[in-house]
Each structure stands twice: as C-alpha cells, then as structure tokens.
Amino acid sequence: MAQTTDPATNPVTNSRRAELLAIAARLFAEKGFKNTTVRDIADAAGILSGSLYHHFDSKESMVDEILRTFQEELFGQYDEILAGDLDPRAKLERAVVVSFEAIDKHRDEVAIFQNEAAHLLTFDRFAYLADRNQQSREVWLTLLRNGVDAGVLRDDLDLELTYRFIRDTVWVAVSWYRPGGRRTHTEIARQYLSILLEGIRS
Amino acid sequence: MAQTTDPATNPVTNSRRAELLAIAARLFAEKGFKNTTVRDIADAAGILSGSLYHHFDSKESMVDEILRTFQEELFGQYDEILAGDLDPRAKLERAVVVSFEAIDKHRDEVAIFQNEAAHLLTFDRFAYLADRNQQSREVWLTLLRNGVDAGVLRDDLDLELTYRFIRDTVWVAVSWYRPGGRRTHTEIARQYLSILLEGIRS
Amino acid sequence: MAQTTDPATNPVTNSRRAELLAIAARLFAEKGFKNTTVRDIADAAGILSGSLYHHFDSKESMVDEILRTFQEELFGQYDEILAGDLDPRAKLERAVVVSFEAIDKHRDEVAIFQNEAAHLLTFDRFAYLADRNQQSREVWLTLLRNGVDAGVLRDDLDLELTYRFIRDTVWVAVSWYRPGGRRTHTEIARQYLSILLEGIRS
Amino acid sequence: MAQTTDPATNPVTNSRRAELLAIAARLFAEKGFKNTTVRDIADAAGILSGSLYHHFDSKESMVDEILRTFQEELFGQYDEILAGDLDPRAKLERAVVVSFEAIDKHRDEVAIFQNEAAHLLTFDRFAYLADRNQQSREVWLTLLRNGVDAGVLRDDLDLELTYRFIRDTVWVAVSWYRPGGRRTHTEIARQYLSILLEGIRS
DNA sequence: TATGAATGAGTCTTCATTCAT
DNA sequence: GATGAATGAAGACTCATTCAT
C-alpha cells in the first residue's frame, strides 16, 4: 500500500475507478450488497474478480466510497437550501424537489442507502451513516419548525412524525421511480408537494 | 407417505414450528434474510443448525411460510374493509389504521416483506409476492377511486402516485416504529391521516 | 441389546424384519446403498426413520443381513450341484441355470451384491464377501476343470479367464433382466448355454 | 463475459483441468462417485476442496466431463469400424478388441460408466448416457446382423440377447483387468473371441 | 413398536481475498 | 493493470443415529 498517489483522487486512475464504482453501485442497488458477489461486479466489468483488488481494498470499501461521495453532494445541497434566503415554505418545497432530483440522478446510490444503511450501520466503519441520518433529521426538522414559526404550517403537527412521513415517502420512491418513465421526477415532486403542503399548511 | 397429519397444519406439532418461525422472523427482520445464517436461527432456538431441517425444508421455505401466513391475514382484513358498508372516507381511514396495526402486531413480517420482497420476487418460488403487490395496488386504488367518485376526495389527484405515497409512508414506518415506544400505532395512524386526508380531500 | 430372543431368528418378529429387509433390498438395488437413505427405507415402509432402529442396528447391518442370507442359499445350491452325480457338462449347465434362477428369484440381492460388493469389501465387517468370491471361483473352476478332464471341454482354454467370462455374463444380466419380461430366465440361460457350450466344447 | 477463451477448451489451462479430472476419475472408479468426496479429490490433488471450484462447477460436472470425453472417443472408434471395409467377422473381432483396448487405456472412465451410469441416468443432466447406450446397442446389433446376413454367424441366435452377453462380458472385465497384469488386454480379447466366435459361428 | 425431536459429523458449495507471474 | 490459481472461512444442507415419551 505504499502508493504515492491516492487512487481515489488521482485523476488518471479515477476514470476507471468511477466506472467500476458505477457498475458496482448498479448491482448493489439491483440485487443488494450481500447478494452481489465480487465476481458479479468483475464479470460486469469484463475482468476477473481478483483484478478488482488493484482498484479497491475490499467490497466494503466500494460501498463505502459510493455512499460517502453521494452523501457529500446531497448534504451540500441541503446546506445551500438552509443557508439560502427563500421563505420557509419555498425552502421545504425546494428540499423535496432536490431529494427527488437525487433519486433521478443517483438512483443506485439512493437505493443502496435506502436498503443497506440499516445493516451497514452496525459496523464501525459505517458509523458515519448514523451521523448523516441525524443530520438529515435536523435539516427537515429545521425546515418544518421554521414553517410553523412563520405561521405557514399547522401548529398542531407532531413534527417528529411529520418529518418521518416526508423522509419515508420521498426516499422510498426510489424503489418504483424509473427515469424516463411516464412521470418525471419533477412531476412526482409536484404531486407530492400538492398533497403534503395542503395537508400541513396552517 | 403414510403420514396421517401434515406437520405444517397439525396443531400439535405446529407449536414448535411456530416458535421457530417466530425466531427466524425476528432475525430476518433484524439482520436481513441473507445476513441471517441458519446457525443464527438455530442458536437463538437453542438447537443445532441441522436440527432445523427436521422442521423445515430450507431457509427459503421459512421466509416463504412467514410471508405467506402474514399476507393471508392482512389481505383478509383488506377484503373485509372493501366488502363492508363504511363510507369511502371511513374505509380509507380504516385501511390505514389496519395497516399500522399490522406493523404493530407483525413487525417482523412487515419488515421482511418490506426489505426482502424485491429480491425474493426474482425467484419463481416467490412469484406470489408479485400477485400480492398487484392485489394491494387494487385495494388502495379502489378505495381512492371510490372516494373521488363520492366527491369526498380531490378529483385532480394522480391516483397512481397517491396510492404509492400512501403505501410507502405506511409500510416504511415499520423501520422506525417501536411497539411500546412513545407513540402508539394508533396515534401514528391518526397523525398521518390528519395530514393525508387534509391533503387529499376535495 | 439384552434381548432374550434374537430378532433375526424369532419367528414372530421375523415377518416384519423380512418385510423391512425386502423394502431395503429393493431400494439398495435400485438406487445403490449409498444413494439410499435410511429415511427412504422408512418412508417406503410407512414409518419414521428412527423407528427402523428398533429392528436393525444400522443401515450397514441391513445390507449385511440381506447379502448373508442370499449367499447362504445360493452356495447351498452350488454345493448340491458339486455333490450331485450329473455328468460334468450337465453340472455346468445346471450351475448356469441355477444362477439365472437366482437372478429371477433374488433380483435385488444379486444386484446389490453385483454393485456394492467391491466397495463393501473394503470394510472388515464385509470381509466374508471376499471369501464368497473365492468360493465362487472354486466352484466354477472345479466345474470347468472336471469338464476338461472328462474330455468334454476344449483343453486349450484359459480356465481362469473362462470362469471370469461366465461369471460376469451371468451375473451382470441382473442389470437388464426383468421378471415377467419377454424372455424367461430359463430361455436366457438356454440361449447363453447354447453359445457358451458351443464355444468351449472340445 | 469478456472471456476470449473457454477454460474447458483452452489448451493452456486445460492441462490443470485434465490433471484434476484424471485424479477425480481414479477416485470415482475406485470408490464410487457417491463415496468419493470433493475433499478426497482435492486432497489427492494437493489443494483445498474449495479450490476445485475454480476449475469445475460441481462434482457432477466432473463426472460429466469425464464420461462425455471418453464416450466421444470410444464411439468415434466404433463409427470407424462400421464405416471401414473389413468383412463382418473381422469387424466384430475389431469391435471386441477396441473395447478391451478402451478398458486398458481408460480403465477409470470405463469403470465409472459401468458402475455409475445406471444411477446418473436418472438425472436430466445425464440423459445423454441413455442415448449412448442406445447407440452402443445399434453398433453391436448391426455388427451381428451383418454377420448373420453374410452367413458367417448362426442364424438361430437371439441377437438381442447375444448383444447383451457380449457387451456385459466385455465391459465388466474392467472390474478385474489389471494393466501390466499377467494377461494383456489383447490376450484377453483373443481368448474371449476364441470362445465367442466358436459359439456363434454358423 | 413407533413417534418426534434432536445430535454431530460431514458434504457440497460459495466467496472475499491473496499473490506469483 | 490484469490473469489464473489458490486459500480459508463460512454457509446451507444431509443423514445415520439416539432417545425420551
């Protein structure tokens, strides 16, 4: 492991890494992490399974990199929303829209997080996923609380539950949303917001 | 051959089977089907792993029996609601309440279905799960359509999407609901209905 | 095992034993000893596998009893032929006929001996099978030698090889002979003798 | 997927496969297919049992390849005889000689076929063995019929039975023939032919 | 005699991973 | 970067056998 350049950041090797990670992500999302073998990934990449270890330390480190990268991007967007100057209702809308966008642009990553996080969480290495869950909770609760404080959302809501309902509905959509399908992710976001906002406005 | 009673239905031997299935269900729900070894189940039951095969053909047949039994009961309840004489809105409420009840009474079974169905579905043996998914869709769409026809629900809803939002929000709750926790399943159902019905009423 | 009467000879329990042995023999002959499970036998007998152990010590002791009983009868017949006063050629004919009769009357036992002896032989318990093989060799060699000495058989034969050809052709017939089939065991014996005796007569 | 060479036909990797198959064949022939464990094979090859699966799909696929390869060669030879221009009697002699040659050169393969075919036949995968049996029957019956038609063989023979006698005597010889033993395979073939042809000539 | 539950040793197979070439 | 061979640990499943009831 006496590498002088970290393959994860070296732009030259990066393209192949990214390629392989995309293949792995697709399979993890489709069949589950445990149900995907290293050989499945290698086969799909047209190499032998042992060769994957020139690129990655382990199967675990593949999911790790997949999830980590995705979450950085996603939470970056949430932070922007929080820091922005939209009004509370618009911020909430934006958060929903951004989430559905993520489902569209990062289907595999979202699916993996959705299906595997609970189990991965039980290993030290993936403890950061729990932090991200916590962070997500804070984002949504803040958005909701701001809405209530501003008087645009019902003040009789159990915010904790409301947050969970929203989070669940949004993210589980990854299980049935098909890019290029009948409904665009924007339409789905709109339809959901039309129900949700009607249901929680003051 | 000369067996006069099928162990799967014989009430006497059934107790041990049921016990073992409950143990298996708990583990499948907690760690996932693939992540649960036959030895995990046997250990939890206090027997050797090979001894499980005195009761069941395979690990697969265990999930099979768990899911099948649960679904029969659940869909029995949905059928009762559909056949009952409540008004459309009350029927919808009842369906939501019954679902949260199932989450409370059959946490493990719901969790297994929620987490494993997509993958199990890819095997012939579990093709019936696809039928159940279809049946579920028909139940909810019927309830929603009746509500719209009766004029109690908004007529601008995309019913297909609405059904998915409801189904997802309800069932994914199994991932965080804790029996005996701060909120009862009835309270959660009420809170969700208060948002949902407000959001979709005409 | 403090039994006051040997179940193998007690006439009362004998019928059930014989029944079970016949069932076992059929299965051993059809599928092979190793490929037949104790459960296969029990299933065919309409009892549970554990119950077989009230009748027999082990699966091995079942084949043992099957083979032992059969061989006693068969070699009794050979001894009668050798001790009888037929002329050499008639004795040889009789030995062939008696062997095909055994194939007809004891299909399963012959098949088991034919297919399993080589392997069973490697265990101490079945060392007596080697003795029987030796005894068989002596019977046939004696018959052939007497024929040659009497001038009715070619004196240029390699008797050792001739014995093997005869033994093989006769016993392997068990693999295709079907009782009640197109040809009776007597017809088969006649046809074989017509070729053999023509081939080896002086 | 992106494999340019099939390991089963690639001459380079083939050597290791062939080595392992030879080891497996020896054991299958000696102890029987069922009595030979994958570990037995691996031990004999000096590797771990799991490593065998780098070369073969399963224990079954090993016998499959062993039998298939052998039968192709053998039936190739029979076809040559049938297509050749020897006289009927010489063709029959040649077929016997070729068969004893096979016993000498492919002891293990012949033994496996002789001992396991009946059982393997009961699995779809080995259905082709039944075809080969049928093909063998046609070869011998053709040879015999041609001999009768040409007037060199007795016309009172039951050809079906005669075929079986020949086939059985020839192939079962594998159970006692030892390469390098007192009698060469050619001597055995000669001795058998001297009896057989005398017995069936017109 | 038979049942039903269990044992314990073993069998085939899988799979992430390593490493010499 | 990749191959091909192998490791080693584990996993699902089998099966002869035991034994309390």
Side-chain angles (χ1 to χ4, degrees), chain A residues 14 20 30 57-58 65 76 97 100 102 149 168 182 200 202:
Chain A
N14 221 351
L20 294 172
E30 268 173 13
D57 286 346
S58 65
E65 197 164 331
V97 167
F100 275 104
D149 291 349
D168 289 353
R182 190 179 319 188
I200 63 177
S202 60

Side-chain angles (χ1 to χ4, degrees), chain A residues 13 47-48 51 54-55:
Chain A
T13 64
I47 57 178
L48 289 180
S51 307
H54 285 287
H55 302 277

Side-chain angles (χ1 to χ4, degrees), chain D residues 29-60:
Chain D
E30 269 173 13
K31 327 196 330 171
F33 178 68
K34 193 79 188 231
N35 293 311
T36 301
T37 71
V38 169
R39 242 195 97 194
D40 287 338
I41 303 169
D43 282 353
I47 57 177
L48 289 178
S49 65
S51 304
L52 276 177
Y53 290 81
H54 179 63
H55 302 277
F56 305 98
D57 285 347
S58 64
K59 189 179 150 189
E60 254 187 18

